[in-house]
């Protein structure tokens, strides 16, 4: 069954600290993997996209990694800011559609 | 500004009263879709459309209808809403169904059915 599992479900860290969010998937066949950021009350916005052959992709303070052998991805946030408070959703694209993770709810405290 | 718009943003209605949520995009995208987002379940696709007059069911189509008469518009229709359709709804569009094309989401419509 095609599944995307994210951990932790929620996370609270202090402003300025780093954090890493995890995504494990069993989707097949795999086309690409995206991380989205969803601010409260708004639609998701794409942060990164990685194909099978890419190991890492950065977007400012966000760095995503992909291990296609173990079917794991991570999103690392460096020097967190209050504006990073949001839900982060991992989405794996199959040949015939998308499989969404349930998201990690991140709260940055001052 | 390139965007996906949805209306209304908030809606409270009663069981059985037909409603339509509009979605419009100004990016000339071929592919559009509707999702619902529920706590603990994440985003689930309701319907999608690969082009004008071409629509297909997603993962949770029961109780919903869509139409794609024009490229820019993709309304979601609830003929007889029920309380289990209370949810946060997102419309999204992308250039085509090609997997590498980025999908742009609208701001969401929060629907409550009493």
């Amino acid at each position: 069954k095609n599944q995307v599992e994210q951990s932790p479900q929620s996370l609270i860290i202090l402003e300025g600290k780093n954090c890493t969010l995890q995504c494990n998937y069993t989707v097949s066949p795999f086309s690409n993997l995206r991380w989205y950021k969803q601010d409260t009350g708004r639609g998701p916005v794409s942060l990164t996209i990685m194909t099978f052959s890419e190991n890492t992709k950065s977007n400012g303070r966000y760095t995503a990694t992909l291990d296609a052998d173990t079917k794991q991805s991570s999103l690392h946030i460096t020097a967190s800011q209050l504006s990073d408070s949001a839900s982060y959703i991992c989405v794996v694209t199959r040949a015939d559609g998308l499989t969404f993770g349930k998201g990690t709810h991140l709260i940055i405290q001052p | 500004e390139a965007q996906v718009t949805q209306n209304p943003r908030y809606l409270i209605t009663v069981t059985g009263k037909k409603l339509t949520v509009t979605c419009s995009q100004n990016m000339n995208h071929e592919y559009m879709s509707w999702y619902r987002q529920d706590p603990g379940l994440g985003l689930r696709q309701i319907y999608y459309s690969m082009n004008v007059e071409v629509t297909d069911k997603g993962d949770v189509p029961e109780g919903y209808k869509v139409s794609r008469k024009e490229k820019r518009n993709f309304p979601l229709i609830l003929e007889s809403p029920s309380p289990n359709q209370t949810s946060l709804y997102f419309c999204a569009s992308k250039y085509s169904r090609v997997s590498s094309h980025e999908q742009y989401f609208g701001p969401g419509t929060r629907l409550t059915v009493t």
Side-chain angles (χ1 to χ4, degrees), chain A residues 44-107:
Chain A
V45 175
S46 180
L47 291 174
T48 64
I49 177 174
M50 286 182 293
T51 60
F52 183 89
S53 59
E54 295 176 296
N55 300 118
T56 186
K57 184 74 70 77
S58 290
N59 178 359
R61 294 179 296 101
Y62 300 102
T63 300
T65 66
L66 174 64
D67 185 334
D69 292 330
T70 61
K71 297 188 176 182
Q72 296 180 324
S73 176
S74 66
L75 181 69
H76 185 74
I77 304 174
T78 304
S80 60
Q81 300 176 357
L82 296 178
S83 59
D84 293 330
S85 293
S87 288
Y88 292 84
I89 303 171
C90 175
V91 183
V92 178
T93 303
R94 316 181 303 271
D96 60 344
L98 305 173
T99 303
F100 289 82
K102 296 176 182 178
T104 291
H105 186 53
L106 176 64
I107 298 172

Side-chain angles (χ1 to χ4, degrees), chain B residues 55-109:
Chain B
T55 63
D56 211 343
K57 297 177 181 178
D59 299 317
V60 288
E62 294 78 21
Y64 305 95
K65 285 175 57 178
V66 293
S67 69
R68 188 89 181 276
K69 293 183 171 56
E70 306 165 282
K71 198 171 188 178
R72 64 182 295 129
N73 296 324
F74 189 45
L76 179 69
I77 303 156
L78 284 71
E79 295 271 3
S80 183
S82 62
N84 64 13
Q85 292 179 298
T86 293
S87 187
L88 180 58
Y89 291 86
F90 289 101
C91 179
S93 75
K94 61 178 186 171
Y95 183 72
S96 77
R97 198 180 179 178
V98 171
S99 63
S100 59
H101 289 155
E102 182 171 346
Q103 184 160 226
Y104 296 87
F105 286 83
T109 295

Side-chain angles (χ1 to χ4, degrees), chain B residues 23-43:
Chain B
C23 172
S24 182
Q25 50 90 7
N26 62 1
M27 296 170 278
N28 200 35
H29 286 172
E30 290 183 348
Y31 186 89
M32 297 184 74
S33 57
W34 275 102
Y35 297 89
R36 63 178 289 174
Q37 187 176 38
D38 302 289
L41 295 178
L43 282 154

